[in-house]
């Protein structure tokens, strides 16, 4: 199946907001990737096989951070098996073995969680994985929805930090509402700090408007400038940032050739971030 990857023709630039947690600083470009690997075997390939292929690919293509969504809890809970997925690379693993902050609630059960691989020669951990303002993410005003996971990284040899997010949004009719909630969360709880947001949004960008288009406008204060988001044509997986996002065309083409796809809608995505 042919896959086209490009930066959509909408360009905006985030304006700095006073009151940031860490002063904005010049940060070298960071190569990052995201992929919803799907928690089940597809075409005879298990999720651990897909993660192993992506980790090797990422290491060979100079990726500083790789974010994986819908990683099965059976893999996240098996340290030895998980380590095999990135063995032979420089990556270090961070995990969140839940998609909800209160997984004991019957409505919030999920067989999946998050995996983030990072290269410690490029970034180190300042604050480990935490759910990002889960109270902002809700269904019908009272059911908990899936919030993003946030990690704050130190950039090696730089007096700078960057917040990195990974998200598996709710699906179907609930997806757009959670994109709206994300817009509020970023606006109200994360001003100023340089950030990178990756994941499966379960929503497409409609050039005529809608939740995703509104999100892109809002994080840029409607100002023109370099493009700060990346997605596949008619895709639902994205990389957004407070800085400039450039299509890592070589990595995306190579990933397509190597078949880094889980189910039909989820393709790996690689971008270069200039903060």
């Amino acid at each position: 199946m042919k896959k086209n990857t490009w930066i959509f023709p909408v360009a905006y630039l985030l304006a700095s907001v006073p009151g940031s947690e860490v002063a904005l600083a010049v940060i070298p470009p960071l190569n990052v990737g995201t992929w919803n690997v799907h928690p089940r075997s597809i075409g005879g390939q298990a999720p651990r096989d897909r993660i192993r292929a992506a980790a090797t690919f990422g290491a060979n293509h100079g990726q500083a951070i790789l974010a994986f969504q819908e990683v099965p809890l059976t893999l996240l809970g098996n340290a030895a098996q998980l380590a095999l997925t990135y063995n032979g690379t420089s990556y270090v693993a961070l995990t969140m073995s839940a998609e909800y902050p209160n997984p004991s609630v019957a409505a919030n059960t999920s067989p999946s969680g998050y995996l983030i691989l990072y290269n410690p020669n490029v970034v180190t951990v300042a604050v480990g994985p935490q759910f990002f303002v889960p109270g902002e993410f809700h269904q019908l005003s009272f059911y908990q929805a899936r919030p993003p996971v946030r990690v704050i990284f130190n950039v090696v040899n730089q007096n700078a930090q960057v917040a990195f997010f990974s998200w598996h949004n709710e699906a179907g009719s609930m997806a757009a509402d959670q994109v709206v909630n994300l817009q509020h969360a970023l606006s109200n709880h994360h001003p100023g700090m340089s950030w990178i947001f990756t994941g499966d949004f379960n929503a497409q960008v409609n050039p005529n408007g809608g939740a995703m288009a509104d999100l892109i406008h809002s994080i840029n204060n409607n100002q023109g400038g370099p493009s700060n988001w990346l997605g596949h044509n008619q895709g639902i997986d994205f990389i957004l940032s407070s800085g400039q996002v450039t299509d890592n065309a070589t990595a995306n083409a190579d990933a397509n050739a190597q078949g880094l796809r889980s189910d039909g809608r989820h393709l790996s995505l690689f971008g270069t971030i200039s903060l």
Side-chain angles (χ1 to χ4, degrees):
M1 181 179 294
K2 183 179 180 180
K3 176 173 74 72
N4 295 316
T5 304
W6 63 80
I7 296 175
F8 288 83
V10 182
Y12 306 96
L13 179 67
L14 178 71
S16 298
V17 179
S20 62
E21 299 171 47
V22 176
L24 294 176
V26 176
I27 300 173
L30 297 173
N31 293 323
V32 305
T34 183
W35 192 16
N36 180 330
V37 293
H38 205 276
R40 294 182 291 277
S41 292
I42 299 173
Q45 189 180 54
R48 66 178 179 272
D49 300 322
R50 293 191 285 274
I51 294 171
R52 183 182 299 115
T56 301
F57 179 92
N60 290 338
H61 285 76
Q63 301 299 302
I65 309 171
L66 298 173
F68 300 98
Q69 302 85 37
E70 284 208 88
V71 180
L73 297 183
T74 52
L75 179 58
L76 292 175
N78 188 326
Q81 287 294 318
L82 184 63
L84 290 175
T85 65
Y86 56 93
N87 185 43
T89 74
S90 298
Y91 290 125
V92 177
L94 298 170
T95 62
M96 176 68 81
S97 294
E99 291 190 321
Y100 297 90
N102 47 354
S104 61
V105 177
N108 293 341
T109 56
S110 169
S112 307
Y114 295 89
L115 171 64
I116 296 173
L117 300 180
Y118 70 95
N119 184 341
N121 298 310
V122 182
V123 294
T124 60
V125 177
V127 180
Q130 298 177 341
F131 286 115
F132 178 59
V133 288
E136 289 276 7
F137 298 86
H138 47 79
Q139 307 172 39
L140 304 176
S141 300
F142 49 89
Y143 288 116
Q144 177 69 59
R146 289 192 288 251
V149 170
R150 182 183 73 171
V151 177
I152 297 178
F153 286 110
N154 296 313
V155 182
V156 173
N157 296 327
Q158 303 290 327
N159 183 26
Q161 292 183 328
V162 59
F164 186 89
F165 297 85
S166 182
W167 192 31
H168 177 214
N169 188 16
E170 301 288 347
S173 61
M174 295 182 290
D177 287 344
Q178 301 316 312
V179 172
V180 173
N181 289 338
L182 173 61
Q183 177 180 329
H184 295 160
L186 288 172
S187 175
N188 296 331
H189 300 280
H190 204 72
M193 185 188 233
S194 296
W195 54 265
I196 302 167
F197 203 107
T198 69
D200 170 12
F201 284 66
N202 273 315
Q204 294 180 324
V205 174
N206 184 339
N208 297 319
M212 283 298 300
D214 289 346
L215 171 64
I216 292 168
H217 278 279
S218 71
I219 62 177
N220 293 282
N221 292 331
N222 299 307
Q223 295 190 19
S227 181
N228 74 338
W229 64 288
L230 178 69
H232 295 292
N233 181 30
Q234 298 183 343
I236 58 177
D237 302 278
F238 297 96
I239 299 172
L240 301 91
S241 177
S242 59
Q244 180 177 353
V245 184
T246 304
D247 176 13
N248 192 330
T250 299
N252 282 308
D254 290 349
N256 183 39
Q258 294 185 29
L260 294 188
R261 173 194 295 269
S262 51
D263 64 6
R265 301 192 74 186
H266 294 301
L267 301 84
S268 59
L269 181 65
F270 300 92
T272 300
I273 316 300
S274 300
L275 295 165

